[in-house]
Amino acid sequence: MLAERPEPRARAQLKRKVYGYRKKSSERKNSDKGLEKANKNAADTDNSEVGLTLYVFSKSAQSSHTIASIQGICDNELAGRCRLNIIDVKECPEAAEQDAVIATPTLIKYAPPPLRRILGDLSNCREVLVALQLP
């Protein structure tokens, strides 16, 4: 005995239901509200605090230059919304190991997400800001 096939319209509705091809109008309205909320949250993060950790090795001239460069970025470009932690790998190797630092200098942006890492020369302010993907 052959099973009856549903009518074409019923098949389309079944397909949408099973595979989620089309959203109901109420679902579309809710997704628009979610998009508005996400945009509002993104606008709020523009003023959020930027969390940076700079890993350097010892008190060499290169380390001093890197520290001064990053502090300049925090003071000039991120005025009032930057929290900078400077960690000397020689004094605190556990922190470097915990953050998987393999070379110095390393700058890690941990807030706002996503996490970003920059290794090497940090003297060019514009390149550092672009690499950090700051709003």
Side-chain angles (χ1 to χ4, degrees), residues 33-92:
K33 289 178 185 177
L35 182 61
E36 290 171 7
K37 190 174 182 179
N39 288 338
K40 183 180 177 188
N41 289 342
D44 291 343
T45 59
D46 288 348
N47 296 325
S48 66
E49 189 173 66
V50 177
L52 301 173
T53 301
L54 176 64
Y55 287 92
V56 294
F57 185 78
S58 192
K59 299 292 181 187
S60 66
Q62 180 65 31
S63 295
S64 299
H65 180 68
T66 301
I67 291 169
S69 176
I70 298 301
Q71 285 178 335
I73 290 172
C74 288
D75 294 341
N76 299 329
E77 304 294 328
L78 306 172
R81 60 182 192 109
C82 182
R83 184 176 60 238
L84 176 64
N85 301 320
I86 300 171
I87 298 176
D88 185 350
V89 175
K90 187 175 182 180
E91 294 176 7
C92 191

